Amino acid sequence: MCGILVQYSKEGTIDENRFKDSLYLQRQRGPDNQSYVRFGPNLIMGHTRLSIIDLNSDSNQPFKSSNGNYISFNGEIYNFLEIREELEKQGKNFSTTGDTEVLVSHLDESYTEKLSQLNGMWSFAYYLVNENKLLISRDRFGKKPLYYYEDEFDLIISSEIKSIYSLKSIERKVNKKHLLYFLNTNLWHQEDNSTFYEDIKKVMPGQSIQFDLSNNTKDILKTHSLEDHISNNKDIEELEVLLSDSVEKRLISDVPVGMFLSGGVDSSVVASIANFKDPNLIHLTSQTTDQDNYYSKLLAEEKDLDLQEVDLNEEAIVDTLKDMTKYFELPIPVYGISLGMNQMFKEAHFRDLKVVLDGTGGDEIFGGYHDFYGPSLLEGYIRRGNFLGLLSFIYYSFISKYNALSAFKTLLNRFLARIFGHNDFLDDNSSYDLVNPFFLKKRKMFLPRNISDLLSMQQFDVTRGRLQTWLQLNDLNSMMYSIETRNPLLDYRLLDYLGMKEKYKFSKGYNKFLLRQLLSRLTSVNIAWRRDKKGMTFSFSNLVEKHRQMFLCAVKKSTLIKTLVSKTNPETFLDDFFLNDTEEKDLLLLRCYAVSLLEIEYNLKI
């Protein structure tokens, strides 16, 4: 992974020293090299490099193509060898062995048409020198971040928000809609190009923006969206071939590669396939539950994997939250996956790993999360009158000890929200505050009204929902320790399976049914049909009980939090409100504490 920074001054000259200092703020994304190229007095392009493929300095960026164009690129193009071969057939010669030169040469051919041919994760800034145009782009899933700021004086493009504020002497003003969304859902708002900060925008997944610097205009392009690839394939033989190729492409590296193995279906599929390709991978597993460790060890024994256990330290959570807040520039979601994965990446860094594979995306593509997708599955059955499917779901829910009643309650709340317009509350956020009972309901996300079945729910989740938060967490957690994370289950070609019938996703009390069938062919270890996967868990209520007064003291001092309390004496109210502890209030207190940490670190305003 790498870091990108571009500044274009519409009036005046760029301060080169200030630009260098701002670029250096992204050194964790690119500790191996920081370089920049200046194009006259008012345009400068910078890059910080984490060397993964072709470690030679000739592949440092910004990289100049044979056509004289420049690119600052963050990510990996997994099919770069195939693209290179095609370009060589056309007479193109290459001076490096990495993917950066291939990418810029590919874009030189016809950049708006060539994006759809890329298989990879990327964000980049591509400058066409003769045309004086700047193209910025993100991959289909949005695995790599790209932010921009624009006013009458400057256009700034960056992989990290801190570099933008370093270049612009403006205060950080919080987007209230994003703040409310985080406090209510424990997720980051992802539905449009706005960010947690009022002045900063993000390039959306699958989006490209072209800036004409000669006349200060921009065009938003959509040339490589996920929706173009969704189909209803259910061929398990073809799935195995696609996954095998996806894993093989993500093992290409000139530095050591590791694998996060959780003992669940997703990571076990990836690990089983990767073992055929490279039996020398280091596998890291967290000491979470006895069952998860049991299956991780069984698979490691069968495949002769180098399995190393990581002890997740609950005592370090408070310090970890502070460190993450400083680097993320966001309030930290209170999940085991956010805090636990940070510790996993930290351990991977200590073991000198620069690339890690994981199982991210299996739930979203193949139909996981009984509790989250169950209500949408039920709604689809009801709308189509599929009572056989409905009865089957209820029957197997009892057998698998999944709470079908909870799914029906969530579905009822969703219907009521549509009728009474609760889903629209973020469009009029001034009428809602922290103490509204809405905040204490177990509502995972605010959903658009057009979500009415499992497929539409999955599509939203992948493009605008929870997966976008997981990917952002993955990127920030890994970059905090200068590690590249790769997700074989999020190869865009696997979207061919997103639209398959529900019986291949949820069947006989199992989720991810087709993926489980494939796993049962790859290993004799009975991971495929386990129902007891818990993942990374922390005792957050115990944490609050131990540190309640410290958390509450910080929250009562937070101006951001107090602006959301519609009481004459906010501090007294917060004292009473959070001392009456429940699990939901404990988690809300932690989210409020996360906001207070961010406010202190960056002197936030609202």
Side-chain angles (χ1 to χ4, degrees):
M1 294 298 98
C2 304
I4 298 165
L5 184 61
V6 179
Q7 183 178 10
Y8 168 65
S9 177
K10 300 175 185 179
E11 298 179 1
T13 302
I14 292 172
D15 184 335
E16 193 168 315
N17 288 326
R18 187 170 184 175
F19 183 89
K20 284 194 293 184
D21 291 343
S22 302
L23 179 65
Y24 186 70
L25 293 176
Q26 299 188 39
R27 62 192 178 279
Q28 286 166 278
R29 287 188 173 271
D32 298 322
N33 180 259
Q34 293 93 41
S35 302
Y36 63 91
V37 175
R38 185 160 193 162
F39 308 92
N42 64 341
L43 177 63
I44 190 167
M45 174 184 283
H47 185 266
T48 66
R49 184 184 182 197
L50 178 64
S51 303
I52 302 295
I53 299 175
D54 187 4
L55 308 184
N56 195 295
S57 61
D58 289 344
S59 284
N60 288 346
Q61 301 179 48
F63 192 94
K64 183 180 181 181
S65 75
S66 59
N67 286 12
N69 299 322
Y70 283 82
I71 196 167
S72 182
F73 160 52
N74 172 23
E76 300 288 351
I77 305 302
Y78 297 123
N79 62 336
F80 81 97
L81 292 175
E82 294 95 314
I83 294 174
R84 177 178 177 136
E85 184 178 347
E86 288 298 316
L87 290 171
E88 286 176 332
K89 288 178 182 178
Q90 299 170 23
K92 171 67 181 173
N93 295 316
F94 291 89
S95 60
T96 65
T97 60
D99 57 348
T100 301
E101 185 179 10
V102 173
L103 173 59
V104 72
S105 300
H106 184 65
L107 294 175
D108 278 348
E109 294 294 307
S110 178
Y111 60 91
T112 55
E113 297 175 10
K114 296 295 183 178
L115 287 170
S116 61
Q117 298 174 18
L118 300 177
N119 182 351
M121 54 179 179
W122 72 82
S123 61
F124 64 73
Y126 169 65
Y127 180 50
L128 292 93
V129 176
N130 291 334
E131 298 180 41
N132 199 25
K133 291 181 180 178
L134 184 67
L135 178 76
I136 61 176
S137 176
R138 282 181 82 196
D139 65 78
R140 300 171 183 87
F141 284 99
K143 297 175 188 175
K144 297 293 101 189
L146 197 59
Y147 303 99
Y148 65 97
Y149 169 91
E150 188 174 18
D151 60 18
E152 64 270 31
F153 305 110
D154 290 287
L155 168 66
I156 302 171
I157 295 145
S158 180
S159 295
E160 294 195 356
I161 288 172
K162 58 175 64 74
S163 293
I164 297 176
Y165 281 114
S166 175
L167 288 172
K168 295 294 292 186
S169 299
I170 55 176
E171 66 180 16
R172 293 183 182 234
K173 188 175 181 182
V174 172
N175 185 322
K176 188 177 180 182
K177 179 164 73 172
H178 282 249
L179 176 60
L180 285 167
Y181 191 90
F182 168 76
L183 288 170
N184 192 62
T185 66
N186 203 23
L187 297 167
W188 295 320
H189 186 269
Q190 306 283 359
E191 294 181 34
D192 53 39
N193 74 337
S194 63
T195 70
F196 195 79
Y197 299 98
E198 284 282 2
D199 297 311
I200 310 296
K201 305 299 181 186
K202 66 173 177 281
V203 182
M204 295 295 287
Q207 185 183 76
S208 299
I209 304 176
Q210 179 179 273
F211 295 91
D212 189 329
L213 304 185
S214 297
N215 55 25
N216 291 326
T217 61
K218 70 179 177 183
D219 293 312
I220 296 178
L221 313 174
K222 188 178 182 182
T223 56
H224 48 286
S225 69
L226 287 178
E227 289 83 356
D228 297 335
H229 305 283
I230 294 173
S231 185
N232 60 353
N233 194 354
K234 58 182 183 299
D235 189 321
I236 195 169
E237 306 289 343
E238 191 173 336
L239 173 60
E240 185 170 359
V241 172
L242 275 174
L243 260 178
S244 179
D245 185 63
S246 175
V247 171
E248 185 173 13
K249 281 179 164 54
R250 284 157 180 80
L251 288 172
I252 298 173
S253 172
D254 293 328
V255 295
V257 178
M259 167 84 208
F260 287 155
L261 181 61
S262 70
V265 172
D266 304 334
S267 64
S268 296
V269 165
V270 175
S272 296
I273 294 174
N275 184 59
F276 289 116
K277 310 292 183 181
D278 184 355
N280 298 315
L281 292 182
I282 297 172
H283 294 75
L284 301 182
T285 186
S286 62
Q287 293 181 346
T288 51
T289 65
D290 291 338
Q291 283 283 50
D292 290 348
N293 288 140
Y294 170 76
Y295 283 108
S296 295
K297 291 174 181 177
L298 275 184
L299 185 67
E301 183 177 343
E302 179 185 89
K303 302 293 185 183
D304 193 26
L305 306 178
D306 180 0
L307 185 66
Q308 301 179 16
E309 290 189 83
V310 177
D311 184 14
L312 300 184
N313 185 1
E314 289 196 12
E315 294 299 317
I317 287 180
V318 173
D319 289 335
T320 300
L321 267 172
K322 293 178 181 178
D323 293 340
M324 290 172 68
T325 299
K326 183 175 182 178
Y327 183 70
F328 284 29
E329 305 175 82
L330 289 165
I332 308 303
V334 185
Y335 287 111
I337 190 175
S338 55
L339 297 158
M341 288 303 291
N342 187 275
Q343 294 188 27
M344 291 291 288
F345 279 112
K346 185 176 184 178
E347 288 297 322
H349 176 73
F350 287 154
R351 288 166 169 80
D352 295 321
L353 293 174
K354 293 183 77 171
V355 177
V356 172
L357 274 62
D358 68 15
T360 299
D363 290 294
E364 290 80 9
I365 301 298
F366 295 96
Y369 305 127
H370 263 109
D371 60 334
F372 189 63
Y373 288 144
S376 297
L377 181 67
L378 288 174
E379 184 171 355
Y381 286 149
I382 293 170
R383 286 181 180 274
R384 296 194 305 273
N386 184 353
F387 298 109
L388 182 62
L390 189 66
L391 291 173
S392 176
F393 179 85
I394 296 171
Y395 172 74
Y396 283 109
S397 292
F398 284 114
I399 291 178
S400 62
K401 299 181 181 179
Y402 166 64
N403 190 351
L405 182 61
S406 174
F408 277 108
K409 286 181 177 178
T410 301
L411 184 57
L412 177 61
N413 285 335
R414 193 179 295 176
F415 280 133
L416 291 173
R418 286 175 184 156
I419 294 170
F420 294 106
H422 289 168
N423 276 10
D424 300 328
F425 95 98
L426 288 174
D427 295 329
D428 182 23
N429 53 50
S430 61
S431 62
Y432 286 82
D433 59 49
L434 181 68
V435 301
N436 191 293
F438 219 57
F439 275 103
L440 297 181
K441 293 181 180 179
K442 293 184 178 180
R443 297 176 57 86
K444 303 291 187 183
M445 186 185 299
F446 299 96
L447 303 175
R449 293 175 179 271
N450 62 351
I451 291 180
S452 58
D453 59 12
L454 179 59
L455 178 58
S456 60
M457 180 64 186
Q458 285 179 269
Q459 286 181 271
F460 174 79
D461 207 18
V462 168
T463 58
R464 299 291 184 269
R466 297 202 310 181
L467 180 62
Q468 292 301 311
T469 293
W470 305 154
L471 291 176
Q472 195 172 358
L473 279 168
N474 241 357
D475 173 77
L476 289 166
N477 270 325
S478 62
M479 286 293 94
M480 188 170 169
Y481 301 104
S482 305
I483 294 174
E484 175 173 299
T485 178
R486 298 177 176 178
N487 322 116
L489 294 177
L490 287 178
D491 189 304
Y492 78 93
R493 295 171 297 172
L494 293 174
L495 289 166
D496 209 25
Y497 290 83
L498 184 64
M500 62 186 174
K501 291 183 179 179
E502 291 155 345
K503 65 180 180 180
Y504 297 105
K505 300 173 183 176
F506 290 85
S507 181
K508 300 179 181 179
Y510 294 101
N511 58 8
K512 294 181 283 193
F513 195 71
L514 188 71
L515 195 62
R516 290 176 185 265
Q517 287 182 311
L518 174 58
L519 179 58
S520 68
R521 297 166 53 156
L522 298 174
T523 174
S524 62
V525 179
N526 198 26
I527 303 171
W529 306 111
R530 62 175 299 200
R531 291 190 174 106
D532 54 357
K533 180 72 168 67
K534 293 187 180 300
M536 294 183 180
T537 56
F538 287 108
S539 303
F540 288 120
S541 290
N542 291 342
L543 181 72
V544 172
E545 184 177 349
K546 184 175 181 180
H547 299 286
R548 183 180 301 278
Q549 288 303 322
M550 182 187 74
F551 295 157
L552 191 51
C553 181
V555 169
K556 288 192 296 182
K557 291 179 181 178
S558 169
T559 302
L560 293 183
I561 297 300
K562 286 189 288 189
T563 59
L564 301 179
V565 177
S566 57
K567 303 290 180 181
T568 53
N569 193 332
E571 291 188 27
T572 301
F573 173 80
L574 289 167
D575 232 340
D576 296 337
F577 183 72
F578 282 120
L579 284 177
N580 178 20
D581 61 313
T582 64
E583 182 182 0
E584 285 300 308
K585 285 190 177 183
D586 285 348
L587 293 175
L588 178 57
L589 176 59
L590 276 172
R591 296 198 294 272
C592 290
Y593 177 65
V595 170
S596 72
L597 287 178
L598 186 68
E599 180 179 355
I600 293 169
E601 182 67 41
Y602 290 106
N603 190 28
L604 303 184
K605 308 295 181 185
I606 194 167

